[in-house]
Amino acid sequence: MKTLMMNLPNPALEPKQQARILFNLGWKEIDIARLLGISQPTVNSWKRSEKWEEATMFEKIQTALEVRYTFLVIKPEKSDKELKELKELGKQVKDLIMPPKTRSSAAKLSSKDFDWDKFVSRINEGFNDLFQFQKDIITTFDQLDQNPNFSSEYLLGKTRQAGLTHTFSFYRLMRLINQNNNQIYISASKNQAYQARTYIQKFVKEYADIEIGGRDKMTFKPGLEFYFLAANPATAQGYSGDVTCDEFLWMPRFDELTKVVSACATQERYNVAYLSSASSKDHPGHAFFFGDKWNRKHPKNKIDTSYDLLRKGHLGQDGKFRQIITIHDAVAGGLNLVNIDKLRMQYDDESFRQLFEFEFFDSNESAFSFDEMRKCMVDALEEWTDWHPYENPHRPIGREPVAIGYDPARSHDGSAVSVLAVPNAKYPYFRSIEKHIWRGSDYDEQAEKIQKIVNRYNVVHFGIDAQGIGVPVAERVEKFFPNLVRYQSSIETKSQFVLQAKNNFKNKMLRMDHGDSDVVSAFLAIKKKQTPSGLVTYASSRSDDIAHSDISWAMMYAMGYQKLDGSLATARSSVFIN
């Protein structure tokens, strides 16, 4: 009886409530009567009048939750495990007492009594939570609609890590609810477009407490919709509304896409926003941003695209409004989430300028070809039918074999991990399906993060740079993946990996998502160098005293699963390359 008393209902409850709880826990009427000191007929009467036997499974679960919660509350001394359980049970009890608002956003948004004006007011309140530089961008863009010289095209050259996709996602949500304009958000890939979708869902939940669904389209009310598309001229046709082209300088078939985009925003009420980080000078978007077409036709009246002018925004003679936001502009405008000095420690000067100061790179100086890599970029969510990162995050590619590459963190840079699906009959090439860059992790943290990734995949190869700091990480990884392949990055080994990767790009034996612009940048940062002894090697462009750990080397270590002759390893083996 002492054991049973541990989980009995609170004695402060009415006898009838205590009896109901005990009955739901499986007690017999006679035992309930004896415990509570009442007659059995009384218990039987309560059972009949309140139909205890007809209790649903949900009601019985409520009872069990109530009993356990009460027991933990009144227990004098609680262990850490019980305190954690009590906290979690408290959340569940709160949901039972005050159920959260409806989970069906479609029903709520479309219901007759839904207060649309109140919804609009709550979303607009979110404007006050933006950083000042974000508010300035939105205010400037809104005012442009009143300028008769504005062609309805806004071009923004942006820094990374300043939340500008977040900014435009919110701005376009404001346009949708305030102007009743459909919104068409186009990104380099479907996977990247879903990032904007995630932001929209977050805004609606945070400011209006509504969970809105939808995969490629969100319906806010009949005829008012938000679309999320990949940069495919064929599939982007047939829509009408404001258009946002995010990362346009990385989009394939850009010239074709601009024609489709213009058609979508033909009506005077609509506008188009092109925003992107810098890419190659060879991309057609470079000429588009800097007004080459106008300048050729008007050599005596060229558009001024200097940073000093564009940092504040400028309406060019061609009617396009151009603006450049660097990381310095964002910080000056209130961004307090980054430390520029630390960023400079993590990147060499050239990479810093390209990532954070909107400087285009010249692919002729790189060991890799921008055009060849761009041809290897696909809309992964559309083309790879066996890859389900959203529907099945715990097994994104099922039991298909994968290869993992890892480049450990050193002094100021980050550790990089790459997961590649290995070639098979349907997809006879490597596919980049997951990547991470982690900063500030010690040996144990790096190993723990790696193990979580390994547990989600059928790993047939794991290559790691085992020099210096890589040794203790490798030792920890080998405890759960004994067949680890350790690489020593000698001049010969680096050259071997680079030549193998160049060959894979040339022959389209490595594919990645259109949104993986960071991967392209990482490979383009690798350049041919000559050692003092006259040997040719390859290295990332940064100072010699700080080794650059990036995703490109991690991917090459993963491709170590491929033999030099292009064939694949038939079994996992532990190899040490020196």
mmCIF file with all atom_site columns, all heavy atoms in Angstrom, residues 324-335:
data_model
loop_
_atom_site.group_PDB
_atom_site.id
_atom_site.type_symbol
_atom_site.label_atom_id
_atom_site.label_alt_id
_atom_site.label_comp_id
_atom_site.label_asym_id
_atom_site.label_entity_id
_atom_site.label_seq_id
_atom_site.pdbx_PDB_ins_code
_atom_site.Cartn_x
_atom_site.Cartn_y
_atom_site.Cartn_z
_atom_site.occupancy
_atom_site.B_iso_or_equiv
_atom_site.pdbx_formal_charge
_atom_site.auth_seq_id
_atom_site.auth_comp_id
_atom_site.auth_asym_id
_atom_site.auth_atom_id
_atom_site.pdbx_PDB_model_num
ATOM 1  N N   . ILE A 1 324 ? 24.013 49.201 -51.868 1.00 0.00 ? 324 ILE A N   1
ATOM 2  C CA  . ILE A 1 324 ? 24.950 48.206 -51.349 1.00 0.00 ? 324 ILE A CA  1
ATOM 3  C C   . ILE A 1 324 ? 24.970 48.320 -49.826 1.00 0.00 ? 324 ILE A C   1
ATOM 4  O O   . ILE A 1 324 ? 25.143 49.413 -49.279 1.00 0.00 ? 324 ILE A O   1
ATOM 5  C CB  . ILE A 1 324 ? 26.375 48.421 -51.900 1.00 0.00 ? 324 ILE A CB  1
ATOM 6  C CG1 . ILE A 1 324 ? 26.417 48.153 -53.413 1.00 0.00 ? 324 ILE A CG1 1
ATOM 7  C CG2 . ILE A 1 324 ? 27.372 47.504 -51.180 1.00 0.00 ? 324 ILE A CG2 1
ATOM 8  C CD1 . ILE A 1 324 ? 27.782 48.437 -54.046 1.00 0.00 ? 324 ILE A CD1 1
ATOM 9  N N   . ILE A 1 325 ? 24.763 47.186 -49.162 1.00 0.00 ? 325 ILE A N   1
ATOM 10 C CA  . ILE A 1 325 ? 24.831 47.128 -47.703 1.00 0.00 ? 325 ILE A CA  1
ATOM 11 C C   . ILE A 1 325 ? 25.960 46.177 -47.330 1.00 0.00 ? 325 ILE A C   1
ATOM 12 O O   . ILE A 1 325 ? 25.873 44.967 -47.549 1.00 0.00 ? 325 ILE A O   1
ATOM 13 C CB  . ILE A 1 325 ? 23.511 46.613 -47.089 1.00 0.00 ? 325 ILE A CB  1
ATOM 14 C CG1 . ILE A 1 325 ? 22.338 47.524 -47.469 1.00 0.00 ? 325 ILE A CG1 1
ATOM 15 C CG2 . ILE A 1 325 ? 23.642 46.499 -45.567 1.00 0.00 ? 325 ILE A CG2 1
ATOM 16 C CD1 . ILE A 1 325 ? 22.374 48.871 -46.806 1.00 0.00 ? 325 ILE A CD1 1
ATOM 17 N N   . THR A 1 326 ? 27.048 46.728 -46.796 1.00 0.00 ? 326 THR A N   1
ATOM 18 C CA  . THR A 1 326 ? 28.158 45.901 -46.325 1.00 0.00 ? 326 THR A CA  1
ATOM 19 C C   . THR A 1 326 ? 27.951 45.590 -44.846 1.00 0.00 ? 326 THR A C   1
ATOM 20 O O   . THR A 1 326 ? 27.038 46.127 -44.189 1.00 0.00 ? 326 THR A O   1
ATOM 21 C CB  . THR A 1 326 ? 29.502 46.620 -46.502 1.00 0.00 ? 326 THR A CB  1
ATOM 22 O OG1 . THR A 1 326 ? 29.549 47.729 -45.592 1.00 0.00 ? 326 THR A OG1 1
ATOM 23 C CG2 . THR A 1 326 ? 29.667 47.125 -47.929 1.00 0.00 ? 326 THR A CG2 1
ATOM 24 N N   . ILE A 1 327 ? 28.814 44.741 -44.312 1.00 0.00 ? 327 ILE A N   1
ATOM 25 C CA  . ILE A 1 327 ? 28.710 44.409 -42.890 1.00 0.00 ? 327 ILE A CA  1
ATOM 26 C C   . ILE A 1 327 ? 28.957 45.643 -42.032 1.00 0.00 ? 327 ILE A C   1
ATOM 27 O O   . ILE A 1 327 ? 28.370 45.810 -40.955 1.00 0.00 ? 327 ILE A O   1
ATOM 28 C CB  . ILE A 1 327 ? 29.708 43.279 -42.517 1.00 0.00 ? 327 ILE A CB  1
ATOM 29 C CG1 . ILE A 1 327 ? 29.360 42.692 -41.150 1.00 0.00 ? 327 ILE A CG1 1
ATOM 30 C CG2 . ILE A 1 327 ? 31.138 43.769 -42.578 1.00 0.00 ? 327 ILE A CG2 1
ATOM 31 C CD1 . ILE A 1 327 ? 28.059 41.936 -41.103 1.00 0.00 ? 327 ILE A CD1 1
ATOM 32 N N   . HIS A 1 328 ? 29.779 46.563 -42.532 1.00 0.00 ? 328 HIS A N   1
ATOM 33 C CA  . HIS A 1 328 ? 30.056 47.811 -41.799 1.00 0.00 ? 328 HIS A CA  1
ATOM 34 C C   . HIS A 1 328 ? 28.797 48.683 -41.745 1.00 0.00 ? 328 HIS A C   1
ATOM 35 O O   . HIS A 1 328 ? 28.492 49.281 -40.706 1.00 0.00 ? 328 HIS A O   1
ATOM 36 C CB  . HIS A 1 328 ? 31.189 48.586 -42.469 1.00 0.00 ? 328 HIS A CB  1
ATOM 37 C CG  . HIS A 1 328 ? 32.405 47.755 -42.749 1.00 0.00 ? 328 HIS A CG  1
ATOM 38 N ND1 . HIS A 1 328 ? 33.264 47.339 -41.764 1.00 0.00 ? 328 HIS A ND1 1
ATOM 39 C CD2 . HIS A 1 328 ? 32.893 47.244 -43.921 1.00 0.00 ? 328 HIS A CD2 1
ATOM 40 C CE1 . HIS A 1 328 ? 34.234 46.613 -42.301 1.00 0.00 ? 328 HIS A CE1 1
ATOM 41 N NE2 . HIS A 1 328 ? 34.037 46.546 -43.611 1.00 0.00 ? 328 HIS A NE2 1
ATOM 42 N N   . ASP A 1 329 ? 28.060 48.733 -42.855 1.00 0.00 ? 329 ASP A N   1
ATOM 43 C CA  . ASP A 1 329 ? 26.819 49.515 -42.891 1.00 0.00 ? 329 ASP A CA  1
ATOM 44 C C   . ASP A 1 329 ? 25.789 48.929 -41.937 1.00 0.00 ? 329 ASP A C   1
ATOM 45 O O   . ASP A 1 329 ? 25.067 49.662 -41.252 1.00 0.00 ? 329 ASP A O   1
ATOM 46 C CB  . ASP A 1 329 ? 26.244 49.535 -44.312 1.00 0.00 ? 329 ASP A CB  1
ATOM 47 C CG  . ASP A 1 329 ? 27.202 50.157 -45.323 1.00 0.00 ? 329 ASP A CG  1
ATOM 48 O OD1 . ASP A 1 329 ? 27.839 51.163 -44.975 1.00 0.00 ? 329 ASP A OD1 1
ATOM 49 O OD2 . ASP A 1 329 ? 27.325 49.602 -46.428 1.00 0.00 ? 329 ASP A OD2 1
ATOM 50 N N   . ALA A 1 330 ? 25.707 47.597 -41.910 1.00 0.00 ? 330 ALA A N   1
ATOM 51 C CA  . ALA A 1 330 ? 24.733 46.932 -41.044 1.00 0.00 ? 330 ALA A CA  1
ATOM 52 C C   . ALA A 1 330 ? 25.047 47.200 -39.573 1.00 0.00 ? 330 ALA A C   1
ATOM 53 O O   . ALA A 1 330 ? 24.147 47.510 -38.778 1.00 0.00 ? 330 ALA A O   1
ATOM 54 C CB  . ALA A 1 330 ? 24.719 45.432 -41.327 1.00 0.00 ? 330 ALA A CB  1
ATOM 55 N N   . VAL A 1 331 ? 26.330 47.086 -39.200 1.00 0.00 ? 331 VAL A N   1
ATOM 56 C CA  . VAL A 1 331 ? 26.720 47.340 -37.813 1.00 0.00 ? 331 VAL A CA  1
ATOM 57 C C   . VAL A 1 331 ? 26.466 48.803 -37.444 1.00 0.00 ? 331 VAL A C   1
ATOM 58 O O   . VAL A 1 331 ? 25.956 49.114 -36.351 1.00 0.00 ? 331 VAL A O   1
ATOM 59 C CB  . VAL A 1 331 ? 28.198 46.964 -37.591 1.00 0.00 ? 331 VAL A CB  1
ATOM 60 C CG1 . VAL A 1 331 ? 28.687 47.444 -36.230 1.00 0.00 ? 331 VAL A CG1 1
ATOM 61 C CG2 . VAL A 1 331 ? 28.375 45.448 -37.702 1.00 0.00 ? 331 VAL A CG2 1
ATOM 62 N N   . ALA A 1 332 ? 26.805 49.712 -38.357 1.00 0.00 ? 332 ALA A N   1
ATOM 63 C CA  . ALA A 1 332 ? 26.546 51.137 -38.108 1.00 0.00 ? 332 ALA A CA  1
ATOM 64 C C   . ALA A 1 332 ? 25.051 51.404 -37.985 1.00 0.00 ? 332 ALA A C   1
ATOM 65 O O   . ALA A 1 332 ? 24.634 52.352 -37.315 1.00 0.00 ? 332 ALA A O   1
ATOM 66 C CB  . ALA A 1 332 ? 27.139 51.987 -39.232 1.00 0.00 ? 332 ALA A CB  1
ATOM 67 N N   . GLY A 1 333 ? 24.245 50.550 -38.620 1.00 0.00 ? 333 GLY A N   1
ATOM 68 C CA  . GLY A 1 333 ? 22.794 50.704 -38.572 1.00 0.00 ? 333 GLY A CA  1
ATOM 69 C C   . GLY A 1 333 ? 22.133 49.910 -37.465 1.00 0.00 ? 333 GLY A C   1
ATOM 70 O O   . GLY A 1 333 ? 20.919 49.681 -37.502 1.00 0.00 ? 333 GLY A O   1
ATOM 71 N N   . GLY A 1 334 ? 22.912 49.499 -36.482 1.00 0.00 ? 334 GLY A N   1
ATOM 72 C CA  . GLY A 1 334 ? 22.316 48.879 -35.304 1.00 0.00 ? 334 GLY A CA  1
ATOM 73 C C   . GLY A 1 334 ? 22.518 47.391 -35.137 1.00 0.00 ? 334 GLY A C   1
ATOM 74 O O   . GLY A 1 334 ? 22.173 46.827 -34.093 1.00 0.00 ? 334 GLY A O   1
ATOM 75 N N   . LEU A 1 335 ? 23.050 46.696 -36.141 1.00 0.00 ? 335 LEU A N   1
ATOM 76 C CA  . LEU A 1 335 ? 23.257 45.245 -36.022 1.00 0.00 ? 335 LEU A CA  1
ATOM 77 C C   . LEU A 1 335 ? 24.272 44.965 -34.914 1.00 0.00 ? 335 LEU A C   1
ATOM 78 O O   . LEU A 1 335 ? 25.422 45.386 -34.997 1.00 0.00 ? 335 LEU A O   1
ATOM 79 C CB  . LEU A 1 335 ? 23.751 44.661 -37.349 1.00 0.00 ? 335 LEU A CB  1
ATOM 80 C CG  . LEU A 1 335 ? 24.014 43.147 -37.356 1.00 0.00 ? 335 LEU A CG  1
ATOM 81 C CD1 . LEU A 1 335 ? 22.725 42.375 -37.168 1.00 0.00 ? 335 LEU A CD1 1
ATOM 82 C CD2 . LEU A 1 335 ? 24.701 42.731 -38.656 1.00 0.00 ? 335 LEU A CD2 1
#
